[in-house]
Amino acid sequence: VAKENILRRFDSIITEAIETVNEADPNGKRVAFVPGAFKPPHAGHYLGARSFAEMEDIDEVRVLISPGTRDGITVNQSKRIWELYIKNDPDKSVEKISLIVPPASPVRYVYDMIEDKKQFKPGDSLVLGQGEKESGAAAERLASFAERKNPGVNVEYVKTKMYASGVSGTQMRELVLANNEKEFKKHLPDFIRKNDDLADQAWTIATGVNELQMIDDVIDEMAGAHAVGGYGAPLGIYTSSKDSKRKKKKKTTKSKRR
């Protein structure tokens, strides 16, 4: 009896697998995932993501930014620099790129997506990049997970070209901490690096300086300048050193005649 039950269970699994394959959409979507810390993102990070966007058979590229802060660089700063790159890239293929900050790790997010049958259906594919020196063990684990949790969903690893920016994320953070603006800008994407205004914006975001802070600094300098004529305060507010308060008139009370 036990043997018959095992055989029936095996037949059921085979039948389910065949049905899943038959139901798989041959034109299923292909989504590339680019996980990382990206604090901050440099040219190599960006060009790696863009290389996926330039592939005609890729429908969407999801850049997964790990939550948390590294050496003072926050996830919000990372996201803003990515947005600066995407917005100003003349290559329109980058419109495929979306930025996601998972609640946990980017790797956990990929596993959750594989398992989510509303997000990915039979015939759909998750595509990840694989460096030339990587063994492929991670790809095998993900593919095995997909077979068990969401049959019919494909997990593909593509050998991607390594875009060397000449610096790592750690080194980029060190440049920020050392206030080495010139060297930092050398490792931005070309279309950002060659535009002084955009390069300045990237540096401003990475260093955490915002426009309001800059305005406050200017106001503080003006307030302490003691300009001639009593107009040292911001926005021309008069601040004479003399007492400018109007003297209140003393109220006089007439004595009533009895």
Side-chain angles (χ1 to χ4, degrees):
V1 177
K3 186 176 180 180
E4 290 178 358
N5 289 337
I6 293 172
L7 289 173
R8 276 198 295 269
R9 177 58 182 159
F10 182 74
D11 287 340
S12 175
I13 293 172
I14 295 297
T15 302
E16 183 181 348
I18 292 172
E19 290 175 351
T20 299
V21 171
N22 291 335
E23 293 173 1
D25 184 356
N27 299 314
K29 65 182 179 182
R30 291 170 57 80
V31 181
F33 291 85
V34 184
F38 309 124
K39 295 183 177 71
H42 53 59
H45 293 145
Y46 182 71
L47 295 176
R50 192 175 73 179
S51 68
F52 274 122
E54 290 171 343
M55 297 179 185
E56 292 184 3
D57 62 343
I58 294 295
D59 299 302
E60 181 187 353
V61 180
R62 298 184 189 180
V63 173
L64 311 178
I65 307 171
S66 66
T69 300
R70 288 196 180 183
D71 297 330
I73 304 294
T74 68
V75 65
N76 184 56
Q77 286 169 294
S78 174
K79 189 176 180 182
R80 287 176 62 197
I81 294 175
W82 273 104
E83 289 170 344
L84 180 72
Y85 294 168
I86 295 169
K87 180 181 177 181
N88 293 283
D89 193 340
D91 187 339
K92 296 304 178 185
S93 69
V94 299
E95 293 176 358
K96 295 180 184 180
I97 299 176
S98 60
L99 306 175
I100 296 172
V101 180
S105 72
V107 174
R108 179 69 260 171
Y109 176 88
V110 174
Y111 274 94
D112 288 343
M113 287 298 100
I114 291 174
E115 196 173 4
D116 191 334
K117 294 182 179 180
K118 291 182 179 179
Q119 285 275 344
F120 288 90
K121 296 177 171 56
D124 292 341
S125 298
L126 292 86
V127 184
L128 296 102
Q130 182 175 335
E132 295 179 358
K133 296 181 180 180
E134 293 183 47
S135 64
E140 293 176 2
R141 286 195 297 271
L142 280 173
S144 175
F145 183 81
E147 288 177 5
R148 289 182 284 112
K149 297 295 184 178
N150 200 349
V153 171
N154 305 306
V155 176
E156 299 178 22
Y157 268 73
V158 177
K159 291 286 185 181
T160 53
K161 181 179 178 181
M162 299 303 293
Y163 292 90
S165 66
V167 70
S168 66
T170 300
Q171 290 169 321
M172 284 288 274
R173 291 193 296 275
E174 289 173 351
L175 293 174
V176 173
L177 292 171
N179 201 33
N180 193 338
E181 179 178 356
K182 184 178 180 180
E183 188 65 23
F184 176 90
K185 290 179 178 179
K186 288 181 182 178
H187 305 289
L188 302 175
D190 282 347
F191 63 92
I192 297 289
R193 177 173 54 81
K194 294 177 180 179
N195 183 311
D196 290 341
D197 180 56
L198 295 178
D200 286 344
Q201 288 184 50
W203 175 251
T204 295
I205 295 170
T207 53
V209 179
N210 57 47
E211 292 180 3
L212 289 176
Q213 183 176 337
M214 293 171 69
I215 292 171
D216 287 342
D217 291 343
V218 172
I219 289 174
D220 289 342
E221 289 178 7
M222 292 173 63
H226 299 294
V228 177
Y231 288 93
L235 306 179
I237 298 173
Y238 183 77
T239 56
S240 172
S241 58
K242 297 180 180 180
D243 183 12
S244 60
K245 293 181 180 179
R246 293 182 179 179
K247 294 180 180 180
K248 294 180 181 180
K249 292 182 179 180
K250 292 182 179 180
K251 291 181 180 181
T252 55
T253 55
K254 295 180 179 179
S255 58
K256 293 181 181 180
R257 294 180 180 178
R258 292 181 180 178

